[in-house]
Amino acid sequence: MASLRRLAGSLTVSETALMVLVAVILALFAVTLAFSVYAVLLRSRHRRRDRLWEELSARWEAPVLAALVDADQIPAAQACVDEEHRLHFVRFVLEYTRRVRGEERRTLQKLVAPFLDGIAARAQDRRSEVRTRAIQTLGTLGLPKYSAEVLRGLEDPSPLVSMVAARYLARPEFPEFTPIVMKHLDRFEGWNPRFLASMLAKIGPEASSTLRDGLADEATPSWLRAVQAEALRMQLDPVAGDLAAAALPGTEDRDLISALLRLLAAVGRPTHVPIIRELCGSSDIIVRAQALHALGFLSNADDIPLLVAAMDDESPWAALHAARGVREAGGERELAELAESDHPHARLAGQVLFEEGES
């Protein structure tokens, strides 16, 4: 150590800098070499994995297809699966489920039923991506037998796992899970409202009553009521129009008001027109546009002058909805006269008439 100190003390500044540079280069070379070796090992591992998958797929393809044609061949297909590759087989069958429906899917569920315990165990894995894959697999192939595992997924620390669980539980064939899914919707506040609404609407009539109850309950968060209103619109629920009209007067949230107006445009009745007409003068551009849209669908010729006047709106979007409202209310003649005139909105009137011709 002392000799090293003496050597370091005898070096000039340039020599010291050169030694430091050499040391840095050697360190970088060592790091680069280590990464290169790791990349080679990783690539080799991926190649082995890909070869194994190709071999297993070739082994299982014919037996699985035979089982799809004849369910009596299920035991023979299961006999082709060794203990070591059970999870691989489940993955292989999962790929097929995306291509089939009905009885063929039920056949695939029977085919993998003896091998799903291993997947259920992975639903408790510490890695969220593994839990997500496990819940997806159980939701596709393991319900209702593994419903407990999928239901636990609703409370998973990972929002992604929770959403995957909700998607597979929110299905018309499992109406018993609908109330449980609805109770966990508060976890998904940051998700796309249209996506959530579509998920709920696909449950079918079994969910309609729960959706209506949530929409009517003022204690329900506004964002969730908006999602429920959108789901009811997608379902074209005939009872929801009265709920939407009753909810509008006490609502201040723009997104909820817009969702309620869209719901009224789809399932409302002429008796709901007065409350919609009031909102056509809203100071909020979004609300005003949605109100004009709904008014056009529910009103009659008496509201055409109001809608024509609204084509002068400062918002191009609101003006477009007003013009479409004129058309929906039966004002094609008024639009045609505007389109043939030198009125500032002649082009807008012509555009809306052209839309009707295209549809």
Side-chain angles (χ1 to χ4, degrees), residues 72-202:
D72 291 337
Q73 298 300 315
I74 289 179
Q78 292 171 337
C80 297
V81 184
D82 54 68
E83 184 78 22
E84 181 183 0
H85 298 121
R86 286 186 166 197
L87 296 183
H88 291 82
F89 183 70
V90 174
R91 174 189 165 194
F92 179 80
V93 173
L94 185 64
E95 296 294 328
Y96 271 91
T97 61
R98 299 189 176 98
R99 312 174 201 172
V100 298
R101 293 288 185 274
E103 189 59 37
E104 289 182 331
R105 174 166 285 198
R106 286 187 285 274
T107 297
L108 293 177
Q109 290 174 328
K110 295 176 184 177
L111 187 58
V112 300
F115 312 127
L116 290 180
D117 284 347
I119 300 296
R122 293 168 71 88
Q124 303 297 318
D125 194 275
R126 62 180 179 82
R127 295 164 293 176
S128 62
E129 63 272 18
V130 175
R131 299 197 304 275
T132 301
R133 180 74 174 182
I135 294 298
Q136 178 188 27
T137 304
L138 294 175
T140 304
L141 296 169
L143 290 176
K145 180 179 178 180
Y146 293 92
S147 59
E149 286 78 7
V150 183
L151 285 167
R152 277 199 298 270
L154 289 173
E155 300 179 355
D156 192 276
S158 167
L160 179 58
V161 176
S162 184
M163 172 52 72
V164 170
R167 283 190 61 196
Y168 284 98
L169 292 168
R171 287 152 61 183
E173 58 263 43
F174 303 119
E176 65 272 22
F177 300 138
T178 298
I180 305 174
V181 172
M182 299 291 284
K183 289 179 181 178
H184 288 81
L185 288 177
D186 58 331
R187 294 204 61 187
F188 310 128
E189 183 174 357
W191 289 76
N192 185 290
R194 292 293 180 91
F195 173 79
L196 292 175
S198 176
M199 180 184 75
L200 297 174
K202 287 178 180 178

Side-chain angles (χ1 to χ4, degrees), residues 8-27:
S10 65
L11 294 175
T12 65
V13 174
S14 299
E15 290 171 333
T16 302
L18 180 60
M19 290 188 66
V20 171
L21 180 60
V22 170
V24 171
I25 292 174
L26 289 174

Side-chain angles (χ1 to χ4, degrees), residues 270 273 277 294-304 307 325 328-330:
V273 167
R277 193 181 291 130
L295 183 63
F297 277 94
L298 297 181
S299 66
N300 51 36
D302 294 339
D303 281 305
I304 289 179
L307 291 165
E328 297 299 332

Side-chain angles (χ1 to χ4, degrees), residues 154-338:
L154 289 173
E155 300 179 355
D156 192 276
S158 167
L160 179 58
V161 176
S162 184
M163 172 52 72
V164 170
R167 283 190 61 196
Y168 284 98
L169 292 168
R171 287 152 61 183
E173 58 263 43
F174 303 119
E176 65 272 22
F177 300 138
T178 298
I180 305 174
V181 172
M182 299 291 284
K183 289 179 181 178
H184 288 81
L185 288 177
D186 58 331
R187 294 204 61 187
F188 310 128
E189 183 174 357
W191 289 76
N192 185 290
R194 292 293 180 91
F195 173 79
L196 292 175
S198 176
M199 180 184 75
L200 297 174
K202 287 178 180 178
I203 298 175
E206 294 81 5
S208 299
S209 176
T210 307
L211 290 170
R212 289 194 296 267
D213 290 344
L215 179 60
D217 186 359
E218 295 183 2
T220 303
S222 294
W223 73 268
L224 184 50
R225 294 177 74 192
V227 168
Q228 292 165 335
E230 187 66 17
L232 290 166
R233 183 193 68 80
M234 292 177 177
Q235 291 184 338
L236 295 177
D237 184 79
V239 184
D242 290 338
L243 292 175
L248 273 173
T251 302
E252 297 181 358
D253 183 83
R254 169 203 279 180
D255 292 336
L256 177 54
I257 294 174
S258 298
L260 293 172
L261 287 169
R262 286 193 296 271
L263 177 56
L264 284 172
V267 299
R269 294 180 287 111
T271 55
H272 302 143
V273 167
I275 184 64
I276 296 174
R277 193 181 291 130
E278 290 180 15
L279 292 171
C280 289
S282 171
S283 59
D284 189 304
I285 293 175
I286 304 297
V287 171
R288 198 162 66 243
Q290 292 296 342
L292 290 168
H293 171 75
L295 183 63
F297 277 94
L298 297 181
S299 66
N300 51 36
D302 294 339
D303 281 305
I304 289 179
L306 186 155
L307 291 165
V308 171
M311 290 174 64
D312 289 323
D313 196 287
E314 62 181 15
S315 165
W317 191 44
L320 176 60
H321 277 296
R324 288 172 175 168
V326 174
R327 183 190 65 202
E328 297 299 332
E332 289 88 350
R333 180 177 60 81
E334 286 81 356
L335 288 175
E337 292 175 355
L338 280 174

